[in-house]
Amino acid sequence: MDTIAIQGIYRDRLISPGGGLQHDSGWRKNMIVLKCRVLLAAFLKNEAGALGIRSLQIGKGDPSWDTTPPPLPDPATTAGLVDPAPVAILVANLTLQYLDDSDAQVAGPTNRVQVVATLGPNQLAAAGQPPYPMREFGLFGEIAGAPFMIDYVRHPLIQKDAAITLERHVRLVL
């Protein structure tokens, strides 16, 4: 039996106050956790309370990951991020788009979804405050009011200061 893998990639770009590109991570793989399939099954069954992407959570992760690369997340995880108090960017503040096979935005549903989070100046870190250290993030849906992890990424440290804009793109191929 052939299996079709659910796949994802992400890209982070840091933009200076003048609009210059300070950092571009390039496209990197992310991990679609196994619970994503449970969420998809709940949609197909028309389960009451099954909701798609509700938030993108950003966490500080574990500072030891700065010297020792973080372990890969467990695809069977049922927990959230390592950070016990991540910052949640709610779906109302995210841009969700359908993409075609060429990654061009299209109006109708496809099997490719892009999520864009833009964190502008003074978000996560206010002027005069230390930069916010980001080392992990995850997309979360919801079943019966409980958060339900869709994907999870642990990445090298990104320091988000008050002046910089972060553009985070996450693409899912279902």
Side-chain angles (χ1 to χ4, degrees):
M1 172 189 226
D2 291 333
T3 60
I4 298 173
I6 300 172
Q7 301 173 25
I9 56 175
Y10 76 97
R11 181 180 197 172
D12 288 329
R13 297 178 56 198
L14 296 175
I15 301 166
S16 70
L21 183 63
Q22 285 190 329
H23 171 75
D24 187 335
S25 69
W27 289 104
R28 297 176 179 212
K29 289 183 179 184
N30 64 18
M31 178 180 292
I32 308 298
V33 297
L34 296 175
K35 284 187 77 168
C36 179
R37 292 179 187 273
V38 175
L39 185 61
L40 291 173
F43 294 144
L44 294 174
K45 188 180 175 288
N46 297 310
E47 190 72 38
L51 301 172
I53 296 169
R54 308 310 299 154
S55 68
L56 183 143
Q57 294 182 12
I58 297 173
K60 295 178 181 179
D62 185 337
S64 71
W65 298 347
D66 298 346
T67 55
T68 303
L72 289 175
D74 179 357
T77 187
T78 57
L81 304 181
V82 168
D83 186 338
V87 174
I89 302 163
L90 301 179
V91 68
N93 297 313
L94 299 170
T95 301
L96 281 68
Q97 305 162 324
Y98 292 114
L99 302 177
D100 66 15
D101 290 339
S102 302
D103 291 331
Q105 185 178 343
V106 296
T110 68
N111 70 323
R112 301 166 71 87
V113 175
Q114 177 167 261
V115 179
V116 180
T118 302
L119 300 172
N122 295 313
Q123 287 185 284
L124 296 182
Q129 298 295 315
Y132 185 90
M134 300 181 289
R135 296 179 185 90
E136 63 179 344
F137 73 88
L139 284 175
F140 288 81
E142 185 177 302
I143 294 182
F148 223 78
M149 185 180 273
I150 296 167
D151 89 332
Y152 186 19
V153 173
R154 293 176 180 168
H155 58 75
L157 175 65
I158 296 174
Q159 297 275 15
K160 165 70 172 82
D161 69 29
I164 291 176
T165 296
L166 169 71
E167 291 179 354
R168 175 163 280 164
H169 291 76
V170 181
R171 290 183 180 166
L172 305 172
V173 179
L174 309 169

